[in-house]
Amino acid sequence: MGDYHFVYKDLEGASTQWDDIQRKLGNLPPKPPVFKPPAFTPAPDESSAPKDKSWIDNKTEDELEDLQDDPDLDDDRFLEDYRKKRLAEMREAAKVAKFGSVIPITGSDFVREVSQAPSDVWVVVILYKDGIPECTLLMRCLEELATKYPATKFVKIISTDCIPNYPDRNLPTLLVYNNGAVKANHVGIHTFGRRCTPEGVALVLCNSDPVLNDGLSGSDPSSKAVIDGVRRSFLEKVVKAHEDDDDGFSSD
């Protein structure tokens, strides 16, 4: 016959009176705590979350468009108006972000990229050639301005691709276009002062027209407002440079 052994187990955490006495005497370790599963927490329901201003701010452009048919927003005029405002801001920001760098073009691109640019877009064209130090210096200035004023279109083209036999002695040359017409031309780097800086180039470009546009001051800011902004930026840059110099001196 087989030898059957049965092992009986109490409920988890239960103990006998004898065990309790032995624990009091220190002959057994303390009784482990009874296992308690964590309390059940249901997954958050997005539809039940409070619909407030921060809820709208966290939505993407596509999600805001999908909310157009949300019946809950129809009952809340503030949220619906705020949704439309946020959507308009996102679309405006997307328009501004389409530039922001100096775009290389060829002769065959010129009419499409420059002459046929939208009437509310100012276009700055640099005629250049590789290996000419003055062109390299002015290009660095334009790259900084293109980042700071992304609603203005900056393009670069090799001089002889734009104008056959254009003399190198005239390089770099800047052409300013608006509404299909040339508004200004600046021949040679000397037109931007003894030291060619982004601020100096900006002041020359905006001398008579609001060429530079950061996309935040309206589609057609005045020339004076742009120049005031450039001067303010220049002063902030000078102050920061002095502060950095002072920090470096004090740390020595």
Side-chain angles (χ1 to χ4, degrees):
M1 293 181 61
D3 186 11
Y4 296 98
H5 298 277
F6 295 92
V7 178
Y8 294 93
K9 289 187 177 180
D10 243 328
L11 294 174
E12 185 176 357
S15 66
T16 66
Q17 188 176 14
W18 174 256
D19 290 338
D20 293 339
I21 293 172
Q22 294 301 313
R23 285 193 176 93
K24 287 182 180 180
L25 296 174
N27 297 328
L28 288 177
K31 184 169 62 175
V34 179
F35 171 74
K36 291 183 179 180
F40 173 72
T41 304
D45 183 7
E46 186 177 352
S47 62
S48 64
K51 294 179 173 60
D52 52 14
K53 183 172 176 288
S54 61
W55 180 76
I56 292 286
D57 288 336
N58 291 328
K59 297 293 183 185
T60 64
E61 183 176 345
D62 290 339
E63 289 172 336
L64 288 176
E65 289 179 344
D66 292 340
L67 287 176
Q68 185 172 357
D69 301 323
D70 191 320
D72 292 337
L73 291 186
D74 292 338
D75 298 332
D76 195 322
R77 178 54 53 191
F78 167 74
L79 284 180
E80 174 60 14
D81 291 343
Y82 189 68
R83 181 193 71 83
K84 292 178 180 178
K85 178 175 177 289
R86 284 287 296 143
L87 192 57
E89 289 173 351
M90 287 182 174
R91 287 172 175 167
E92 190 62 29
K95 288 181 184 177
V96 172
K98 65 183 176 181
F99 303 127
S101 64
V102 181
I103 305 166
I105 65 172
T106 63
S108 59
D109 301 326
F110 194 91
V111 172
R112 181 183 70 253
E113 297 290 341
V114 179
S115 303
Q116 295 178 353
S119 59
D120 62 338
V121 174
W122 287 84
V123 186
V124 178
V125 185
I126 176 173
L127 309 185
Y128 78 104
K129 273 189 178 178
D130 290 327
I132 298 178
E134 292 82 358
C135 292
T136 301
L137 177 58
L138 183 56
M139 191 74 74
R140 288 175 185 160
C141 295
L142 295 184
E143 286 169 352
E144 183 172 328
L145 293 178
T147 302
K148 191 168 185 178
Y149 299 96
T152 297
K153 188 174 187 179
F154 289 82
V155 301
K156 62 181 180 180
I157 181 171
I158 295 175
S159 58
T160 48
D161 284 354
C162 183
I163 305 173
N165 302 317
Y166 191 73
D168 289 355
R169 66 177 179 274
N170 290 343
L171 298 181
T173 294
L174 284 192
L175 306 176
V176 180
Y177 277 75
N178 180 248
N179 202 18
V182 178
K183 298 297 184 179
N185 65 83
H186 307 281
V187 179
I189 201 167
H190 63 277
T191 59
F192 302 107
R194 289 187 304 167
R195 294 178 64 248
C196 184
T197 64
E199 293 76 20
V201 175
L203 290 174
V204 172
L205 287 175
C206 297
N207 187 41
S208 57
D209 294 299
V211 176
L212 299 179
N213 187 353
D214 60 6
L216 304 175
S217 307
S219 59
D220 188 23
S222 69
S223 179
K224 181 180 182 302
V226 176
I227 289 178
D228 288 345
V230 171
R231 286 172 175 161
R232 185 166 54 252
S233 175
F234 175 70
L235 290 175
E236 290 172 354
K237 192 173 181 179
V238 170
V239 170
K240 185 178 185 304
H242 280 292
E243 289 175 346
D244 291 343
D245 288 344
D246 290 342
D247 290 343
F249 177 77
S250 61
S251 63
D252 289 343

